[in-house]
Amino acid sequence: MTLLPETTEKKLGLVIDLDTCVGCHACVVSCKGWNTENYGAPLSDQDPYGGAPSGTFLNRVHSFEVTPKEGAAQLVHFPKSCLHCEDAPCVTVCPTGASYKRVEDGIVLVNESDCIGCGLCAWACPYGAREMDQAEGVMKKCTLCVDRIYNENLPEEDRQPACVRTCPSGARHFGDLGDPESEVSLLVAERGGMDLMPEQGTKPVNKYLPPRPRDAAIDILAPLLEPVATGPKGFLGWLDKALEKI
Amino acid sequence: MHPAPSVILFTVLSGLGFGMLFWLGAGYPSVTGWSAFAFFTVAYLLAVGGLSASTFHLGHPERALKAFTQWRSSWLSREAWLSVASLLFMAVYGAGKVFFAANWILFGGIGAVLALTTVYATAMIYTQLKTVPRWNQPTTPALFVLLSVSGGALLTNQLWAALPLFAIAIAVQIYAWKTGDTALVTSGSSIESATGLGDKGSVRAFEPPHTGTNYLMREMVFTVARKHAMKLRIIAVVLLALPLLLLLASAPGHLLGALAVLAHLAGVLTLRWLFFAEAEHVVGLYYGKR
C-alpha cells in the first residue's frame, strides 16, 4: 500500500551529531557489511577492483566546508541515509506497492519481490537515500536495520542499527522520535536538532544536531595559553643581540 | 536527470499515438474501412510501441503488471490504467469504423478523453516531483498535452488545428524555459538548506562520499551535455516550426506532409532530450552540483 499512514505508533529514527562525527566512514562499512548479507538482495559492487568502481550503499558520508563571515573555515562530516520521512514522497509515487511506511514504527521499507525497478522512488527522494542495485534491478534503501532492532537472537546491546552500534565517536543515536521523553527526543530538544531540506515538505524523522560553535570555546582559554617569553634564547638570542648592536 | 533513450522514446511515441487517438476518437478525420484501418494502425503502433519502450528501463519488466495496483497514490499506476482503458475504448470504436462503417460516438468520445488524460498522467509522473523544480510546474503537463495534440493533429491531417497548436506549443515551451531556468533557485532548496548548515556560513561541498561515481550521480546528477543546451533549444524550435512553413503551401502533398511529420518528430525528440538533460535534481546539491 503506497498511501501513507495517517500516524504511526512510533517514529523510529536516527539522530546524527554533526559536531562529533569524525568522518571515519565506519558506519558506511558496517552498514554495507550487515545489509549485504541480511534483509533482501545483497548490495552489489560493479568493477570493485577495476578502474571505475561503483556500488550500492545505504549510507554515505559527505564532507562540507563551512566558511563563517569571520573566523576560520570548518569541516563538517555529514553522514546521510534514509530519513524515514513522515510524508515520504518515495512511497506515494511507487506504482506497485513495493514501497511502504510501517504503521507500527514508521520505518520506510521496500518489498523487493514487488519492486519492478522503475526508479521513480529514487527520483522522488530529495536526499539520495535510495539506490537501485545494478545486479539485482531492485531498489535498495536503509531499513533502519529492522532485522537487528527486534532480533531476540542478538545480545541486547546489538539490537540497534549497525551504523549506530559501530560509530566510534558516538555521533549516531537511535530511538523513538515520536516519544517526547525518549533520549533521542531530549537530545534533539537540547541541541536544536534540525531537518534537512524542510522546504521539500517531507517531514523527516531523522534529525541532525548542528556543530557547536568552536572558536568561542577556545577564546576563553586563549589568554591563559599566551607564551610567557617571546624573545629568542641561547645562540639565537646572542645572535639577535649582537646583530642589534651593529 | 539522465536522458534514458527508452523513456524519451516512450514519452514521445506514446504521446504522438495518444494524440492521434484523441483526434480519431473525436471524429477527425471521419474515415471508415481501409482508410480508418491505416489511421488506427499507425496510432496503435505509436501508442503501444511507446508503452512497451517504457518497460525497457525497468529492473524487473516481468513484474510490470503489479504497476496497476497503486492507482490511489501513484501517477505511474494511474497512467497504466488510463492507457489500457483508452486503448480498449478506441479498439471498439476503431473496429466499428473499420469493419461496420459505424460511428459509435460514445466509445470514440470516451476514448478521446481517456487518450488525453493518459498523456496528462504521463506528464504528472514528472510534474509531481518536488525534487526536480524545473519539472514541478504547470507548464510540464501543458506542454506534454500540447505536443501530443498538435502532433496527433498533424498525423491525422487536421492542419486547421495543427498549425495554431504548433504556435501555442512553441510559445509555451519558450515560457517553460524562462521559468524553468530559475526554478531551482526559487524552489528554496540550496546546499545550505540541504545540509542545514546555512546559518553557520557559506557551505561548499568539500569531499564526496566516494572516489568513483554512483547510481545517484549517473541517474540524477547528469550534467554532461548541458553546454549545448542553447543550440539544442534553437534547433528544437526550428524543427517544431518547420511544419508551419511546409504546410502553409497551398496544396501540401504527401511528400511535404512526410517531411513535416519527420521534422515534428525530430523536434519533439530534441525537446524531450532537453527536458531530461536540463532537469536539475536537488540531490545534486549534496555533491555541489546542479
Side-chain angles (χ1 to χ4, degrees):
Chain A
M1 254 307 265
T2 55
L3 287 176
L4 289 164
E6 290 272 318
T7 52
T8 54
E9 288 161 34
K10 284 183 178 177
K11 292 178 188 171
L12 294 187
L14 301 175
V15 173
I16 294 168
D17 192 341
L18 298 178
D19 194 57
T20 37
C21 176
V22 295
C24 70
H25 292 241
C27 54
V28 178
V29 177
S30 67
C31 167
K32 178 115 174 176
W34 177 265
N35 286 295
T36 201
E37 56 188 31
N38 288 285
Y39 184 98
L43 303 172
S44 72
D45 291 318
Q46 280 69 44
D47 196 19
Y49 307 106
S54 158
T56 313
F57 286 80
L58 312 183
N59 178 30
R60 294 183 183 266
V61 180
H62 294 251
S63 296
F64 295 102
E65 179 193 67
V66 185
T67 312
K69 285 224 171 65
E70 286 170 23
Q74 191 180 344
L75 193 59
V76 179
H77 301 294
F78 196 96
K80 185 163 60 59
S81 53
C82 173
L83 293 100
H84 299 279
C85 303
E86 288 180 51
D87 269 342
C90 56
V91 171
T92 50
V93 298
C94 175
T96 68
S99 280
Y100 61 106
K101 187 170 174 68
R102 306 206 323 171
V103 180
E104 60 267 41
D105 51 19
I107 299 179
V108 176
L109 284 178
V110 175
N111 177 356
E112 290 174 9
S113 59
D114 278 352
C115 176
I116 56 173
C118 69
L120 190 56
C121 56
W123 288 12
C125 172
Y127 309 108
R130 288 173 169 246
E131 298 188 15
M132 178 106 73
D133 189 84
Q134 299 300 297
E136 202 65 30
V138 294
M139 198 53 74
K140 301 296 295 185
K141 71 175 291 302
C142 161
T143 66
L144 215 57
C145 284
V146 69
D147 45 2
R148 289 174 66 97
I149 57 178
Y150 300 115
N151 192 339
E152 294 188 354
N153 295 318
L154 295 176
E156 201 170 337
E157 64 270 26
D158 283 337
R159 290 179 210 159
Q160 45 183 328
C163 57
V164 176
R165 184 75 180 96
T166 209
C167 178
S169 66
R172 305 179 71 98
H173 308 269
F174 163 70
D176 180 9
L177 287 139
D179 171 8
E181 297 304 313
S182 70
E183 280 182 31
V184 280
S185 294
L186 295 175
L187 192 59
V188 168
E190 183 195 325
R191 294 277 307 281
M194 59 195 182
D195 290 347
L196 304 186
M197 288 202 225
E199 72 282 355
Q200 286 276 333
T202 53
K203 291 200 249 163
V205 168
N206 284 14
K207 303 288 178 212
Y208 283 75
L209 306 179
R212 295 180 176 96
R214 295 237 162 115
D215 290 337
I218 292 167
D219 277 346
I220 301 167
L221 292 173
L224 303 173
L225 297 172
E226 289 282 345
V228 180
T230 49
K233 285 180 184 172
F235 173 71
L236 279 178
W238 171 82
L239 192 66
D240 185 41
K241 277 180 200 161
L243 287 169
E244 288 275 344
K245 281 176 185 169
I246 298 169
Chain B
M1 305 296 288
H2 174 62
S6 62
V7 180
I8 293 176
L9 277 180
F10 150 55
T11 56
V12 171
L13 297 184
S14 73
L16 270 182
F18 284 108
M20 274 189 87
L21 288 178
F22 165 74
W23 287 106
L24 290 171
Y28 300 97
S30 186
V31 281
T32 51
W34 281 110
S35 174
F37 181 77
F39 275 114
F40 276 91
T41 305
V42 172
Y44 268 83
L45 281 177
L46 287 170
V48 177
L51 288 173
S52 47
S54 74
T55 61
F56 294 155
H57 84 288
L58 297 182
H60 282 276
E62 77 281 5
R63 300 177 189 155
L65 283 180
K66 293 191 177 185
F68 284 89
T69 59
Q70 302 302 315
W71 51 271
R72 271 165 298 198
S73 75
S74 168
W75 277 107
L76 184 45
S77 192
R78 286 170 201 163
E79 186 212 27
W81 274 108
L82 288 164
S83 60
V84 169
S86 162
L87 291 175
L88 287 179
F89 270 92
M90 289 304 292
V92 175
Y93 179 68
K97 286 268 193 182
V98 174
F99 300 115
F100 309 108
N103 190 16
W104 297 329
I105 45 170
L106 185 66
F107 282 95
I110 295 173
V113 171
L114 285 171
L116 268 201
T117 327
T118 305
V119 177
Y120 176 75
T122 306
M124 285 309 290
I125 295 172
Y126 306 104
T127 312
Q128 67 177 337
L129 298 173
K130 283 185 82 172
T131 49
V132 186
R134 191 185 277 278
W135 292 349
N136 188 228
Q137 42 186 351
T139 48
T140 305
L143 266 177
F144 268 68
V145 171
L146 273 170
L147 289 172
S148 162
V149 173
S150 60
L154 179 64
L155 284 169
T156 51
N157 202 24
Q158 302 304 305
L159 299 186
W160 58 276
L163 299 183
L165 282 170
F166 283 142
I168 299 171
I170 291 170
V172 174
Q173 178 62 73
I174 290 169
Y175 178 71
W177 281 327
K178 192 172 169 294
T179 54
D181 286 347
T182 55
L184 180 62
V185 175
T186 52
S187 74
S189 289
S190 61
I191 192 169
E192 281 79 17
S193 79
T195 58
L197 298 169
D199 58 339
K200 305 260 177 295
S202 66
V203 183
R204 184 172 76 97
F206 183 78
E207 197 177 38
H210 38 85
T211 51
T213 183
N214 69 2
Y215 169 75
L216 300 171
M217 301 198 71
R218 284 190 299 265
E219 186 77 6
M220 282 167 270
V221 196
F222 181 90
T223 56
V224 179
R226 284 203 198 135
K227 62 178 174 183
H228 298 305
M230 189 43 82
K231 282 180 207 161
L232 285 169
R233 283 181 182 186
I234 294 167
I235 291 171
V237 168
V238 169
L239 285 169
L240 276 188
L242 259 183
L244 277 172
L245 303 176
L246 290 173
L247 301 175
L248 277 181
S250 54
H254 273 98
L255 181 66
L256 274 187
L259 271 180
V261 169
L262 285 178
H264 177 76
L265 188 63
V268 181
L269 281 172
T270 315
L271 278 188
R272 206 49 52 81
W273 189 88
L274 281 170
F275 177 76
F276 288 98
E278 285 196 290
E280 307 97 337
H281 193 288
V282 293
V283 77
L285 297 168
Y286 285 105
Y287 290 88
K289 299 205 162 80
R290 59 171 289 177

